Amino acid sequence: MLKLTLPIVPSVNHCYRNVSIHRRVLTPIGKAWQEKAQYIAKAAAAKQGWRFSKRQKLVMEYWTYWPDYRTRDVHNQEKLLLDTLEGILYDNDKWVLPRAMDFAVDKVNPRIEILIYPLEGR
């Protein structure tokens, strides 16, 4: 099991820019968040002794703590979050089963708390 706390994922509109009809790229905001999140994830994995296997289903439970009461969708975080942690906490994000557990507001410490563990018995 791995526990991880990351900064709030920027919105999809802030993370990606469309460059053609079928292609989008990360914006500087998205790249900066991704680099910071990868650094934190690598440190947490090393500290907690996290090892992942290829082709292993993993459950990713996450709790989001927003900085304010604006209306947001917790699921909009998943694309960049899963892509960012690929190759660090798991081989391929197709093996990850994300589960938004809850959300709340924490004006002092907005964040996303993540718990990753193998899916057993399936």
Side-chain angles (χ1 to χ4, degrees):
M1 181 181 337
L2 176 77
K3 293 181 181 181
L4 177 65
T5 301
L6 297 175
I8 291 291
V9 181
S11 73
V12 172
N13 292 334
H14 286 95
C15 288
Y16 296 101
R17 179 174 49 89
N18 293 327
V19 293
S20 69
I21 294 174
H22 300 290
R23 187 166 171 251
R24 62 184 181 172
V25 296
L26 274 177
T27 63
I29 292 171
K31 286 179 187 177
W33 182 88
Q34 190 174 54
E35 289 173 3
K36 184 175 185 175
Q38 287 173 338
Y39 176 81
I40 293 168
K42 286 176 186 175
K47 183 177 181 179
Q48 297 176 46
W50 175 255
R51 301 280 186 258
F52 67 88
S53 302
K54 293 183 178 185
R55 302 178 58 106
Q56 178 182 27
K57 289 183 183 176
L58 298 171
V59 175
M60 175 190 283
E61 297 178 351
Y62 65 93
W63 294 259
T64 304
Y65 298 88
W66 302 115
D68 55 44
Y69 288 96
R70 287 187 299 165
T71 301
R72 294 179 175 90
D73 183 354
V74 295
H75 301 287
N76 283 341
Q77 304 176 96
E78 289 180 7
K79 174 67 176 153
L80 184 58
L81 177 62
L82 292 171
D83 287 348
T84 295
L85 300 177
E86 188 174 84
I88 297 171
L89 302 183
Y90 39 82
D91 181 50
N92 188 311
D93 65 2
K94 79 175 192 172
W95 297 100
V96 179
L97 304 166
R99 297 178 180 170
M101 302 305 288
D102 200 1
F103 62 91
V105 171
D106 186 340
K107 294 179 181 183
V108 176
N109 184 23
R111 65 199 179 279
I112 181 168
E113 294 181 358
I114 301 166
L115 183 63
I116 300 176
Y117 55 91
L119 179 66
E120 301 293 336
R122 304 261 174 176

